[in-house]
Amino acid sequence: MTQRHCISGAVIVIATAFLAAAALAQDGPFYRQAMPLSPGSGGDVALPYPFADEGGNIWQINSNGWLQEQGRSPVISQGSLLYVNGNTSNQANNQARLDPKTGELVIDNLEINGVTITRRLLFRKRDGVLRYVDIFHNTQNQQQTITASITTNLNFNVANAQFIADPKIKDRNLAWAAQTAGGRTLVQIYGGPGAHVAPKLDWQEGSNSITATYVMNLPPQREQAILHLHTIVPTVADGTRFINSLKQSAVMHGIPSSLRRIIVNYPQTQEWINDVELLRGDTDDIVELHNGDRLRGTLEESTFALKTFYGPIALPAGNVAGIVNIGQLHTRQLFVTTDGEIFGGRLDKPTLALQFVGGQTTQIPLAQISRVGFRKRPGEPAEWTFDKPLLLLRSGERLMIKPMTENLQIASRYGTLSLKPESIAAISFQNDDNDAHEITLTDGSRFTGLATADHFDVELATSGQHIKVSSGSLLRFQFAAKMPEVDDHSPTIHLQNDDLFVGELSGKLNIETAFDTLPVNTADIRLLKRGKAGGDDVQVLLWDGSLLSGRLLERELNCQLKSGMTMKLPSILLVEYSQPPREKPPGRK
């Protein structure tokens, strides 16, 4: 019997879940540590590597990270078999390591079709829950579209199964719960509500195999990741209850923010601030102390006066969702508003007043507080929608501002550019590869440069207050509400420095061949690639099927971007220029 259910809450993982019934009543996070490691322990281990659950079953991790269950009536014959474009790694990888910080089993340097893969596995013995985070790194200098699939084969036939549907997107299944003839139920969660990258589930009634497939666009020299969980429960009903109650914060617990950001089958959660989960109450305000105590009642503060490095900020208590205390020697507070803004600074008073249910009021010293959660108010948005420009600061703040009107000056290898704010999607001031800034335009173009301003004068969207923020304090300046994607119908120019421009070349190019110098209209070009010998040699494929090889005489390429800008690009940096097929190729009647 096949049925459909909806997942409630914010669960968006490529997850395969097996869970003991005790976990359904757990209050804390599911994942803390894979094994009982002592501080600083870890190191290399051999594969196969066993995880033992409370029921006496062994979860054996084999070469390349695939799973096999052993013990009484084992359900999984081969689990989490990973394929990229239909191929699996041929490496006999029998070595792994234990991460001393997280307790994860790490299997890395798997090579499949020009993609390097790292698999991070975390096992919680008490609950029998296994979590995978599979990281895909594109080693090429051009974007790759890959199809990643994860297959699980069962030891028994499926007696009863249910698909779990996405409550936000019609006709999308996210998970699967299957009771086998062996009397145990395998639950697999492959995605969550509204995920950017969603799974396609393939299971036929009568089959004991299921495959989840994902299509991912990997930018050059970049990484994306998918996350999946595994557990076993007694019945299908237990499995659906677990899935419906699973919180994103529990699934993502312990994953560094840098890794959470690249998990594409999970939405970017709003519940984590500086790697600390935002605390919220349903009927009471909650104050959590550093020793773990939680005090419930009503916070009596009406306004919070905050001293920040960009000036004093007054926050009405009714607009505050939570407070996180950060720092050790010199603590400061991050205030999270109900709209998703984050203001950081120091309160002008050393205590918070909390009234208990019985009426007694106490003053709690800030130095003893870990975090504060306000009860949810009527009319509070279920999700934060950032439809205004944002400033993300290195100190943890997230400030919504009013649109800028003055052009931004960007120093680049293409000259000094004066960019209109409406043409910019984002500027990242932190680049993992170098000290340059990464500029993304609204058409999907991206390139490195330097924003030359030493500070930005901006106006806060909510209060209208003018503040001055130094460029050195910025992590990211987001101008557009949504980051652009390059569609398959847009012409693109890839350069050797990983810069990408979305737009068309204009004018004529002169190609010096072995027999003549031929002028070529750029509108007639379907594909222009750097020659294998490098230098000025190129290959040109025209719309009529002609293929030319020769030396490109032009030193610069004129490019008209979709965002409206005109750029001059050094031809020596060209890797590839492609124009996708149109209804009628240029020059044809």
Side-chain angles (χ1 to χ4, degrees), residues 225-264:
I226 54 179
L227 185 154
H228 45 113
L229 309 170
H230 303 252
T231 197
I232 290 180
V233 298
T235 68
V236 170
D238 291 328
T240 55
R241 280 197 300 271
F242 165 62
I243 295 170
N244 288 330
S245 64
L246 188 60
K247 292 184 178 180
Q248 178 174 323
S249 59
V251 174
M252 305 289 278
H253 185 83
I255 299 178
S257 57
S258 58
L259 181 52
R260 288 203 306 267
R261 283 195 292 267
I262 65 171
I263 296 176
V264 294

Side-chain angles (χ1 to χ4, degrees), residues 478-496:
Q478 188 159 316
F479 293 77
K482 184 179 180 181
M483 291 300 291
E485 295 183 7
V486 181
D487 59 54
D488 295 334
H489 305 290
S490 297
T492 56
I493 305 169
H494 292 268
L495 301 184
Q496 290 180 1

Side-chain angles (χ1 to χ4, degrees), residues 190-206:
Y190 294 105
H196 175 64
V197 173
K200 180 181 179 182
L201 304 190
D202 183 13
W203 171 72
Q204 302 297 324
E205 290 198 43

